[in-house]
Amino acid sequence: MRILSGIQPSGRLHLGNYFGMMRPAIELQEQGDAFYFIANYHALTTVSDADAMRQGTLDVALDFLACGLDPSRTTFYRQSDVPEVTELTWLLSVVTPMGLLERCHSYKDKIAKGIAASHGLFAYPVLMAADILAVQSDIVPVGRDQKQHVEVTRDIAIKFNNTYGEVFRLPEARIREDVAVVPGLDGQKMSKSYNNTIEIFGDPKEARARIMRIVTDSKGVADPKDPDACNVFALYRLFASAEEREAMAARYRAGGLGYGEVKKALHEKFEAHFGPLRARRADLAANLDFVEEVLRRGAERARAEAGATLRRARAAMGLE
Ligand code: ADP
Ligand code: TRP
């Protein structure tokens, strides 16, 4: 089974990225041949500062490796080191109906947020289709907001296969329903554009302060509470075992549990989980030659795969 996913180097990674995409992707690397990459071509649609792009790319590489991406098992690369993907994007563009792209929520949401409506932003799903189809991926682990893009990828692949013959395998999005949307401090989806995030490798003091600021209702300590309506519980449950989750939920319902106490418990879980990973990340940051070598080897393998697919697509279209 082939697995592929990408993440944009467009900001510090937060708990939404971690539980929605990184951790499921890292768990899946045990189950198949995984390709994970840093989507810097995609990030160009929103990041125009070259230093920020370089720094963001290095940050994602360090974050992923620190969180358990295993480079001996998984192909890890920078998207821009695989130029075959951009050539494939053009071949896919000519079979992509405008209407398919016009329906994409992500494009409309980004315009509504004030991001410039460039051709790149509009054609973004076609580049994403090329990422996925280039390595003939079966499974694409992403957060729910990316599901439509994977469906667009399937539609493009079907259209291409019907027009030129079977070249592409049809991929499927893999969304972990239990963590499909991680809430932010204010209860909306956690997202860097809402300034409601808890960064996984930010300043630990800042993470603590942010956990303490999570919005709750105004019930007093004695009142019974609904765990399923609480943002703090929604984050706590992501770190807790099934027993811990049940025990905490029972205490919510019984009353006598204050939100301050749950926030402290959440902070302890956060530190227990990310403290050791922070140390591992610092070691990697002191050994950048290793990180660079991982990405170089990853690109080599990804280019070989993407090159083979590209040759089949070119031949099917009469380009060779
Ligand atoms: P942001 O919303 O902060 O800009 P991205 O859009 O760059 O995050 O998301 C990168 C990956 O992380 C995607 O696969 C996305 O689905 C996942 N993701 C981001 N935020 C969340 C969230 N709050 N809950 C679940 N998954 C998320
Ligand atoms: N668009 C994705 C995001 O913003 C990143 C991405 C680019 C991706 N290409 C991909 C994800 C291919 C999965 C597969 O999160």
Side-chain angles (χ1 to χ4, degrees):
M1 181 174 76
R2 268 286 155 84
I3 305 158
L4 172 134
S5 194
I7 189 151
Q8 298 191 60
S10 50
R12 305 297 299 265
L13 298 183
H14 53 70
L15 288 178
N17 303 135
Y18 181 72
F19 286 111
M21 185 266 179
M22 288 174 84
R23 202 169 70 167
I26 286 169
E27 284 170 8
L28 267 178
Q29 70 183 346
E30 315 286 325
Q31 290 172 39
D33 184 15
F35 286 69
Y36 296 146
F37 68 95
I38 306 169
N40 53 359
Y41 280 151
H42 279 104
L44 286 174
T45 58
T46 52
V47 179
S48 53
D49 181 283
D51 289 331
M53 181 67 81
R54 268 182 221 107
Q55 186 60 48
T57 303
L58 177 61
D59 280 336
V60 173
L62 293 171
D63 291 352
F64 253 95
L65 291 168
C67 288
L69 183 139
D70 176 357
S72 68
R73 182 189 277 279
T74 291
T75 304
F76 187 40
Y77 56 100
R78 270 182 294 252
Q79 188 181 29
S80 59
D81 288 343
V82 185
E84 286 78 3
V85 162
T86 49
E87 184 176 346
L88 185 58
T89 302
W90 180 253
L91 305 190
L92 298 176
S93 282
V94 299
V95 297
T96 304
M98 286 293 282
L100 197 58
L101 301 181
E102 279 161 358
R103 283 198 294 277
C104 286
H105 309 301
S106 159
Y107 176 72
K108 290 184 242 176
D109 292 350
K110 285 175 181 168
I111 303 289
K113 277 185 209 153
I115 296 174
S118 66
H119 170 254
L121 193 67
F122 186 67
Y124 180 112
V126 190
L127 177 60
M128 187 157 158
D131 295 323
I132 297 168
L133 301 177
V135 308
Q136 305 279 3
S137 187
D138 302 290
I139 298 285
V140 184
V142 280
R144 191 181 278 160
D145 59 328
Q146 296 296 319
K147 186 167 180 243
Q148 190 184 32
H149 288 156
V150 182
E151 286 162 2
V152 166
T153 301
R154 284 176 68 92
D155 288 345
I156 295 174
I158 290 169
K159 185 86 191 293
F160 188 101
N161 288 349
N162 285 343
T163 310
Y164 296 108
E166 290 294 314
V167 172
F168 299 114
R169 212 180 290 174
L170 302 186
E172 224 171 84
R174 173 74 62 92
I175 292 154
R176 287 268 301 263
E177 288 304 331
D178 53 334
V179 289
V181 180
V182 177
L185 304 185
D186 54 0
Q188 290 189 83
K189 176 196 153 181
M190 186 177 287
S191 170
K192 61 183 168 285
S193 23
Y194 302 146
N195 188 26
N196 65 354
T197 63
I198 299 169
E199 291 177 2
I200 62 175
F201 292 120
D203 173 10
K205 285 205 202 78
E206 173 71 13
R208 184 174 190 283
R210 286 186 155 244
I211 287 171
M212 294 303 159
R213 280 213 304 277
I214 297 172
V215 175
T216 58
D217 62 26
S218 53
K219 290 204 169 90
V221 174
D223 298 327
K225 302 176 179 67
D226 177 4
D228 299 323
C230 177
N231 297 326
V232 191
F233 185 78
L235 294 175
Y236 176 84
R237 64 186 288 284
L238 296 172
F239 290 97
S241 66
E243 297 80 54
E244 288 170 329
R245 206 154 54 218
E246 273 319 303
M248 186 62 92
R251 291 192 59 203
Y252 264 80
R253 292 189 194 100
L257 172 70
Y259 289 121
E261 192 185 329
V262 197
K263 288 178 179 179
K264 265 206 204 118
L266 170 60
H267 177 251
E268 276 166 26
K269 287 279 181 206
F270 179 89
E271 266 309 304
H273 190 83
F274 289 110
L277 303 187
R278 202 180 291 137
R280 205 188 311 168
R281 191 181 188 283
D283 289 345
L284 288 159
N287 194 0
L288 292 182
D289 288 349
F290 168 77
V291 177
E292 209 36 62
E293 179 57 16
V294 165
L295 293 174
R296 197 195 58 72
R297 272 192 285 117
E300 210 174 299
R301 164 119 203 268
R303 287 197 75 170
E305 289 294 329
T309 306
L310 188 58
R311 279 192 295 280
R312 290 179 54 203
R314 286 174 57 99
M317 297 176 101
L319 298 172
E320 49 191 66

